[in-house]
Amino acid sequence: MRVVLAGTFAGLGGIQVHLSSLARVLVDAGHELLLISFGKARGGANDAAVEELRSHRAIRVEFVGAGGAVATLLTVRRVLKQFRPEIYFACGTGWNLFAGAILCRVPKLVFHEVMSGESYGWRDSRNFVKRFFHRVVAQAQPVADNFARSFDWKHPIEVIPAFAQALEGRAPVSRHAVPLGAARAAIFGRLVPHKRVAWLVTQWPRLKACLRELHIHGTGPEEPIIRDLIAKHRLDGAVFLHGAYPSGAAYAELLSRYDVTLLPTVGAEGAPLVLLESMACGVPFVATDAGGIRDYDNPDCVMTSVGDPETFLNGVETLAKQLAHGEIDQHRLQTFYDSHFSHEALAPRWKAFFNSLPHS
């Protein structure tokens, strides 16, 4: 089939990782692809990945959105008319993500919800989905439930997790204990207020009873705030801010150095891929149950309430004690990931979903 994947391919976020992996899976299944990426190419590692996709004979890549709303709409209409897709698969938000495909009357319109599923009100461009789209697929069950409620979607929603980084070279792990107070904890991701990383740094006087170190990997607007907190409270040697982190095998090797990862988010999450990547390396996590995170529930990780910060701190203490008592099975955690969220587990599900679309 001729398939359009429309979203944002430039950049290094979880959505970009997922869409690039999905594109490869669909090409391997014999589909002809047009990737429409909204926004300018940014340069860097992910744009190199886009160029690698472009090298496939069955993939065409178009960057749109650099010339304003009207120009973007006209460009999308033009490339769709040339390509004549049978399926338009939209991931993200923005009027032009939807309008061009609707105007071109693509036979099958599919929306992929990778955010929380919550509506931002009447201005939310996802309101187009109920009226014009044929199918919705979400990356987690809570996300699907939120979307159906928020946008009054009356039809079934397919739930298929997103692809995390492949993490080439990750090593198999074995069960091991970590003495209380010796665990090295890490946070990976964008440093924005709703992730509550700066707040967690202020809780170090309590956390140091059960953790030896806290390592923060990522960039974002809270970076200078976190740096100032480390200096103000003299946390050098205990709390570390490292900046951007690598991908692939280097990321897997870095993740494997830690005993636990943390995500105290209170934001409108989808289902963060950093938690999948932690499990892939056999590293347990403590996270709030925001958005679709509940779908990652397993015996070797701890989830806490979004609304009460105290429960997150209690969760860190709980997991640290479980690690000390040898109750966490790192090998079981890695196997859980392999069975439910690995590329090998998800690729057949995505192929089957796309193959079902012409008949649904």
Side-chain angles (χ1 to χ4, degrees), residues 121-138:
W122 68 270
R123 291 174 179 260
D124 194 319
S125 58
R126 289 173 292 174
N127 288 308
F128 271 138
V129 174
K130 178 186 176 182
R131 184 170 179 183
F132 296 104
F133 275 58
H134 306 101
R135 296 286 296 276
V136 172
V137 56

Side-chain angles (χ1 to χ4, degrees), residues 20-76:
S20 294
S21 297
L22 181 59
R24 293 183 179 92
V25 166
L26 295 178
V27 166
D28 289 344
H31 301 299
E32 184 181 353
L33 260 61
L34 167 63
L35 312 184
I36 299 180
S37 183
F38 290 82
K40 295 180 180 179
R42 301 177 186 179
N46 189 258
D47 283 356
V50 171
E51 288 305 313
E52 190 273 330
L53 289 172
R54 199 196 298 263
S55 69
H56 284 272
R57 184 179 61 182
I59 298 181
R60 172 182 167 189
V61 181
E62 292 280 352
F63 283 93
V64 302
V70 174
T72 298
L73 177 60
L74 293 175
T75 301
V76 171

